């Protein structure tokens, strides 16, 4: 993933956005272009770096806790839904196969699929928890304080 990550994520976004306008709408389009002075698109680069960090730390995911928290907040604010993960996973694995070609052995693809599914479940759970927390805070603030002391 370190060597081909950017190319893989570029391919993933291209095919996914072509098929799913609803998912494309969740992204900041400014992050999908190469800006003057840069050589890569920000969103595919960030995803490639995140996937690489995940692969490097798969045996010690606590090192990724702050990144998971940050990404979770972005996903909740962008209204990412649990069903989006299956779509992203399918496009990511197809991109791995396309970019790596014959190097994408079944055991490699199976391992990436399992790793992606684990991470997707982690994000779905943390995002659902954050949504529940936000809903509870909103409910409390909507109630207001109707009591007096004394």
């Amino acid at each position: 993933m370190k060597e081909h990550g950017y190319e893989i994520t570029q391919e993933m976004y291209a095919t996914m956005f072509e098929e799913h306008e609803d998912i494309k709408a969740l992204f900041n389009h400014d992050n999908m272009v190469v800006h003057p002075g840069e050589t890569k698109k920000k969103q595919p680069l960030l995803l490639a770096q995140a996937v690489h960090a995940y692969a490097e730390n798969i045996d010690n995911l606590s090192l990724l806790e702050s990144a998971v928290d940050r990404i979770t907040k972005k996903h909740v604010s962008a209204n990412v839904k649990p069903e989006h993960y299956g779509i992203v996973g399918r496009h990511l694995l197809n991109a791995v196969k396309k970019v790596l070609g014959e190097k994408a052995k079944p055991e490699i693809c199976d391992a990436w699929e399992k790793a992606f599914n684990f991470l997707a479940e982690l994000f779905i759970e943390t995002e659902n928890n954050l949504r529940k927390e936000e809903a509870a805070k909103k409910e409390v603030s909507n109630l207001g304080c109707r009591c007096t002391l004394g």
Side-chain angles (χ1 to χ4, degrees), residues 9-140:
T9 57
Q10 276 265 90
E11 174 66 22
M12 181 209 80
Y13 282 118
T15 60
M16 184 173 67
F17 287 172
E18 189 175 300
E19 290 182 25
H20 299 279
E21 287 288 326
D22 58 321
I23 292 178
K24 183 178 182 179
L26 300 175
F27 287 84
N28 179 346
H29 300 291
D30 195 47
N31 291 336
M32 299 304 296
V33 295
V34 178
H35 292 278
E38 297 177 355
T39 58
K40 296 180 177 171
K41 298 174 185 176
K42 186 176 180 180
Q43 184 63 41
L45 180 61
L46 290 173
L47 180 59
Q49 291 170 340
V51 170
H52 180 255
Y54 175 57
E56 290 276 310
N57 295 290
I58 198 157
D59 293 324
N60 190 3
L61 293 178
S62 64
L63 295 174
L64 302 176
E65 193 172 312
S66 65
V68 169
D69 288 343
R70 186 178 68 254
I71 294 168
T72 294
K73 289 175 183 168
K74 284 184 179 185
H75 284 183
V76 169
S77 71
N79 205 24
V80 171
K81 304 283 187 205
E83 57 269 21
H84 294 144
Y85 285 95
I87 296 166
V88 172
R90 180 171 49 86
H91 284 276
L92 180 61
L93 288 172
N94 287 342
V96 167
K97 291 173 187 174
K98 182 175 180 178
V99 171
L100 296 183
E102 292 180 8
K103 294 178 187 175
K105 304 285 185 213
E107 58 273 10
I108 291 172
C109 292
D110 289 347
W112 273 108
E113 183 174 14
K114 286 178 185 173
F116 176 84
N117 288 337
F118 175 83
L119 190 59
E121 288 300 320
L122 174 67
F123 275 114
I124 290 167
E125 182 180 338
T126 57
E127 289 164 18
N128 284 339
N129 289 340
L130 181 57
R131 284 183 180 99
K132 287 176 187 173
E133 287 174 22
E134 289 179 352
K137 287 179 186 176
K138 187 175 182 178
E139 188 175 318
V140 167

